[in-house]
Amino acid sequence: MKAFYKRKWWCSVVVASLLAWPGGCGHKQPQTIMVITPTGGMEYWESFDHEVKANAESAGIHAELAAPQSVTDYTEQAQMVENAISRHVQGIIVSPAHQLVLTSVLQKAAQAHIPVVIVGTPVALSTKDCAAFIGWDEVAAGRLAARRFISLLGGKGEVGVVGVSPTVEGSSLIEKAFADEIARTPRVKLVSVKYGLSDWARGRQAVLDLVAEHPNIKGIFTTDEFSTHAAAYAFDRATRKRPLLIGVSDERNELVGVRDGRTDALIISNPRELGARSMQAMRAALAGADASALSTQLPVYIIDKESMVHNPIAVMLMNNAG
């Protein structure tokens, strides 16, 4: 009987020790979320990631970051979502590079009861499969660029577009809005749409092809950072015959290009607000609240050499890139 009580006492000591140990049952592990952006190495998504991590840490949430090397690596991004599901993370924030490729795998996350906050570009998920959508207004981006071209051209001339890929939803939305707005002015004609596949060299070649195929082209609209950078450096700065250039980019190099006269205007948005709003929605979802009420589309802005010094988003991007 004495031996029995000794064993009972020893077991109690072991259990108490395990509970007290930081890795034991008494230590509450922080919630982990996976943050998956369309591509790495871009200042916009680095700023977004920084804001998400800062907001997560203040709430005691562990945020892990992942991104494919290119925005066209759809399958790699889908695999990152699969890996997050298999690890049983508590939440996923993702900016889909491809609407359809990501749909089925994100449905798996919903089935696993992992809240998903979609960022940037919408995806074909029902509201029950998505906790919230925090985007920026791609339709407005296309319209703003078209209206600026119409104004700069005096309502007459040929324009072209260099996009990412016809399968990249975000770029396609911008292109369609641009084309629809241009069509409202009969004497401004959209003559061609080419694709740079998020590659600087291909973007540059697409810009040069537009000029070679349409020698009277008066304006080129570029819908991502790579083609915008390519267009800015495709022409000799001394030439006065280059087409008007308007691009979509939040990268500091391209803002400098506007300041220095390489590009005529840029469409920009606020990556830090996107990150903060995304994390706000994720915190609500993790708490069991209805995060869909936090879904929103953030505004975009068009800036040029004169207006950029007064635009707070442009100033922030110039001073705090990355």
Side-chain angles (χ1 to χ4, degrees):
M1 184 65 72
K2 185 180 292 186
F4 170 77
Y5 283 115
K6 282 184 177 181
R7 286 196 298 273
K8 187 175 180 181
W9 173 83
W10 175 248
C11 289
S12 298
V13 170
V14 171
V15 170
S17 299
L18 288 173
L19 290 173
W21 185 256
C25 301
H27 179 72
K28 185 179 180 181
Q29 295 293 327
Q31 292 174 304
T32 296
I33 64 169
M34 182 63 71
V35 184
I36 305 171
T37 52
T39 186
M42 304 301 296
E43 291 166 1
Y44 184 91
W45 291 114
E46 288 175 358
S47 295
F48 170 84
D49 285 341
H50 181 273
E51 193 68 24
V52 169
K53 280 189 74 73
N55 279 265
E57 288 173 3
S58 68
I61 297 169
H62 176 61
E64 296 186 13
L65 311 176
Q69 289 188 344
S70 170
V71 72
T72 56
D73 289 337
Y74 319 127
T75 55
E76 184 181 357
Q77 192 184 42
Q79 187 59 54
M80 290 174 175
V81 177
E82 290 269 17
N83 294 342
I85 296 169
S86 66
R87 290 179 50 202
H88 307 289
V89 298
Q90 281 69 57
I92 298 172
I93 296 176
V94 59
S95 179
H98 193 287
Q99 186 184 47
L100 297 179
V101 172
L102 268 290
T103 298
S104 59
V105 68
L106 289 174
Q107 287 173 334
K108 292 181 183 179
Q111 293 162 5
H113 305 291
I114 299 173
V116 174
V117 173
I118 304 294
V119 173
T121 301
V123 70
L125 284 178
S126 65
T127 53
K128 67 181 180 63
D129 292 333
C130 172
F133 168 67
I134 314 293
W136 58 278
D137 199 337
E138 289 147 323
V139 172
R143 288 174 178 167
L144 282 173
R147 290 168 186 166
R148 182 58 62 92
F149 272 126
I150 291 168
S151 174
L152 292 173
L153 294 173
K156 180 182 178 181
E158 295 181 349
V159 296
V161 172
V162 178
V164 180
S165 163
T167 60
V168 174
E169 188 72 13
S171 179
S172 297
L173 288 171
I174 298 170
E175 292 161 28
K176 184 179 185 306
F178 179 82
D180 289 346
E181 193 68 24
I182 288 292
R184 296 174 183 271
T185 305
R187 299 180 71 190
V188 177
K189 183 181 179 182
L190 175 58
V191 294
S192 182
V193 178
K194 295 185 180 295
Y195 299 100
L197 302 178
S198 290
D199 179 84
W200 184 87
R202 290 182 179 180
R204 182 177 186 277
Q205 190 58 53
V207 168
L208 295 176
D209 288 346
L210 275 176
V211 174
E213 295 168 13
H214 303 278
N216 294 321
I217 199 166
K218 301 298 183 184
I220 298 176
F221 178 42
T222 49
T223 68
D224 75 320
E225 294 85 355
F226 294 94
S227 57
T228 297
H229 183 78
Y233 288 87
F235 302 99
D236 185 341
R237 292 184 67 181
T239 182
R240 296 183 179 181
K241 293 185 178 182
R242 72 159 174 83
L244 294 167
L245 301 176
I246 298 177
V248 176
S249 179
D250 304 274
E251 300 295 290
R252 190 178 188 279
N253 278 341
E254 277 47 79
L255 289 159
V256 170
V258 172
R259 185 193 67 190
D260 294 347
R262 289 187 176 275
T263 304
D264 297 288
L266 282 182
I267 308 293
I268 63 172
S269 60
N270 189 339
R272 295 191 174 182
E273 185 177 5
L274 189 69
R277 295 287 193 99
S278 302
M279 198 59 223
Q280 181 186 20
M282 178 54 70
R283 289 177 64 180
L286 293 176
D290 180 12
S292 64
L294 297 170
S295 294
T296 188
Q297 277 192 308
L298 302 178
V300 295
Y301 311 88
I302 188 164
I303 55 107
D304 54 25
K305 185 175 182 178
E306 289 71 34
S307 65
M308 66 182 293
V309 295
H310 305 294
N311 183 288
I313 308 303
V315 172
M316 181 270 289
L317 293 170
M318 281 288 285
N319 295 336
N320 302 304

